[in-house]
Structure formats: C-alpha cells, structure tokens
C-alpha cells in the first residue's frame, strides 16, 4: 500500500513557469514532510521540508504548501530554470523512524 | 549540509560473485542508516534499516542472507550483495539520518550491473 501518493508522474514547463507537484498521505501520525531532488545517476538531495504545525515554508525559489486537514502537501518551484529539471520525491515520516516516499515526478523545464 | 559518501559509484561483476557497497557519514555520526534500491524511473524502495551495533531490520521480501548489512561504527555501514545474479542489477542508495532530527542525507548511489 502506497503510504504517500504523488502526482503528476511527469511535468513539462517553460522556463520561468511555476511547476506544482502534489502529495497526499493517510497516516496522521506523520510529522515530517521532506522533498528531495534527484538528478540521473545521483542520490536524492534534501530540498526543503515542513512539519505539520505550519502551512507554508519557503526557501529560495522552493515553497511547500501544507494542508493538514486535507492531508496534502505540495511543492512549488518559482521562476523555474532548466537546471531544475530532475526527479522530485516527496516523503513522510513519523519521528524519523521510517521514511515513506512518493513515486516521484519527472520535471522538465524547457528553455 | 551533512555529507554521505557512497562507494563505489558503479560496479560490474560476474554472476555468482559478491559485491560490497560502503556508505560513510563524513562529518557526522549516524546512528541509523537506510539502504534503498531504485529501479529506473521508479521510487526508492527501502530494503533495510541499519542501526549501529545491532542487526539490521529488513523489509518484507528482502532476503537478509543475500543482502548482508553491517553497521560496525557510527560512520560506516556496508551492504554486501552475495552471490549476485542479473536480477540484482539495480541502483542502490544509502542514507543517514543527521542529528536525530529526521534530516535524511543520501549517498550518491551505486549502479550495480551483474553480467
């Protein structure tokens, strides 16, 4: 059973656009929601993370929106660049015991 | 951020041989390390959780005799794929939890190709 559902599977945007990737979860015990960026042939890198006590977190061009009642969270990339082209994974964990990953979104930013 | 070093990055081996992959936390002590397997264009599949000084906890369906995990120190965990077969070919990634605050840092991955 997929603990974290992620959509879309792939996304293509023009440079400067704002891609949005969505994730949903069921287990209300999750208390940490990170996003990872992965380039081909490399391990994922932590991008930004949020805890359920806040509804939004922004770091540079990356913003997480969190809706606790809907059990959803999303990643927004402002002013997207071709260098942002990568696969993005959302994840959820409870007390850091185990991380559950979404299925990934392949983002392509066209120059 | 914290650095996790994984070696080798790429290995090709003959069927029946064993391959060892190392995962090191370079600037922090990692009580817990995780090992994942990733198929092309798919998500990370957790194989096992490795705790320093104790036996690893394997996920359902993962053969512990085939994927030997050792976490002998707070900075090193190893995954040994024993008697590798072509179906074991995959991208293996380790991660370590930093500071007990749930920040997970990943190694760069190891692409294993078994001929």
């Amino acid at each position: 059973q997929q603990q974290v559902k992620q959509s879309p599977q792939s996304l293509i945007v023009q440079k400067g656009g704002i891609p949005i990737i969505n994730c949903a979860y069921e287990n209300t015990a999750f208390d940490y929601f990170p996003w990872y960026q992965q380039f081909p042939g490399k391990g994922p890198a932590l991008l930004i993370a949020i805890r359920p006590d806040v509804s939004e977190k922004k770091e540079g061009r990356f913003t997480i929106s969190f809706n606790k009642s809907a059990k959803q969270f999303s990643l927004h990339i402002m002013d997207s660049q071709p260098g942002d082209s990568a696969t993005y994974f959302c994840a959820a964990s409870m007390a850091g015991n185990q991380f559950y990953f979404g299925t990934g979104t392949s983002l392509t930013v066209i120059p | 951020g914290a650095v996790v070093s994984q070696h080798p990055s790429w290995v090709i081996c003959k069927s029946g041989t064993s391959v060892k992959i190392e995962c090191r936390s370079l600037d922090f002590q990692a009580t817990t390390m995780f090992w994942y397997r990733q198929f092309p264009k798919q998500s990370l599949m957790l194989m096992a959780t490795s705790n320093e000084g104790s036996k690893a906890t394997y996920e359902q369906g993962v053969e512990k005799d085939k994927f030997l995990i050792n976490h002998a120190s707070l900075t090193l965990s190893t995954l040994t794929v024993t008697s590798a077969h072509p179906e074991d070919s995959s991208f293996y990634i380790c991660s370590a939890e930093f500071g007990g605050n749930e920040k997970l840092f990943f190694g760069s991955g190891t692409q294993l190709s078994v001929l």
Side-chain angles (χ1 to χ4, degrees):
Chain A
Q1 182 185 0
Q2 191 72 29
Q3 294 272 358
V4 179
K5 295 181 180 178
Q6 182 173 347
S7 63
Q9 187 175 6
S10 63
L11 191 53
I12 301 173
V13 299
Q14 293 272 350
K15 178 184 173 181
I18 306 176
I20 300 173
I21 305 171
N22 301 298
C23 284
Y25 64 98
E26 286 298 324
N27 192 338
T28 55
F30 289 140
D31 58 5
Y32 180 68
F33 303 89
W35 283 89
Y36 295 90
Q37 179 188 56
Q38 184 180 30
F39 293 104
K42 301 293 183 184
L46 178 64
L47 200 58
I48 186 173
I50 198 169
R51 296 192 185 275
D53 53 346
V54 297
S55 59
E56 184 175 281
K57 184 174 182 180
K58 187 174 183 179
E59 286 185 4
R61 295 185 294 108
F62 301 93
T63 300
I64 299 179
S65 296
F66 188 83
N67 187 328
K68 188 174 181 178
S69 60
K71 293 185 284 186
Q72 295 175 349
F73 57 110
S74 59
L75 176 70
H76 302 232
I77 305 176
M78 307 300 176
D79 187 27
S80 58
Q81 302 296 313
D84 296 330
S85 298
T87 299
Y88 293 82
F89 292 96
C90 63
S93 79
M94 52 186 112
N97 289 327
Q98 186 170 333
F99 287 75
Y100 296 90
F101 289 87
T103 48
T105 296
S106 176
L107 171 66
T108 303
V109 181
I110 301 171
Chain B
V3 178
V4 175
S5 175
Q6 185 174 342
H7 293 282
S9 57
W10 186 35
V11 59
I12 301 174
C13 69
K14 290 183 177 180
S15 184
T17 60
S18 294
V19 175
K20 180 186 280 189
I21 303 169
E22 290 190 351
C23 182
R24 294 181 184 272
S25 55
L26 294 187
D27 50 1
F28 67 101
Q29 294 184 329
T31 307
T32 303
M33 289 187 175
F34 302 91
W35 286 95
Y36 301 85
R37 187 172 178 175
Q38 186 178 34
F39 292 102
K41 299 188 177 182
Q42 293 193 21
S43 189
L44 299 127
M45 183 187 80
L46 180 66
M47 298 175 66
T49 301
S50 166
N51 292 297
E52 186 266 337
S54 62
K55 290 184 179 180
T57 303
Y58 290 82
E59 294 300 301
Q60 192 173 11
V62 178
E63 299 175 61
K64 56 184 175 184
D65 293 332
K66 179 164 190 63
F67 299 99
L68 299 178
I69 291 173
N70 183 282
H71 194 160
S73 77
L74 287 171
T75 58
L76 174 65
S77 177
T78 60
L79 167 67
T80 301
V81 183
T82 61
S83 186
H85 291 282
E87 57 265 29
D88 298 325
S89 298
S90 187
F91 193 58
Y92 293 87
I93 310 173
C94 70
S95 69
E97 190 177 352
F98 174 63
N101 65 357
E102 298 170 298
K103 285 194 174 182
L104 204 59
F105 291 92
F106 287 83
S108 54
T110 297
Q111 181 64 51
L112 171 63
S113 298
V114 184
L115 305 178

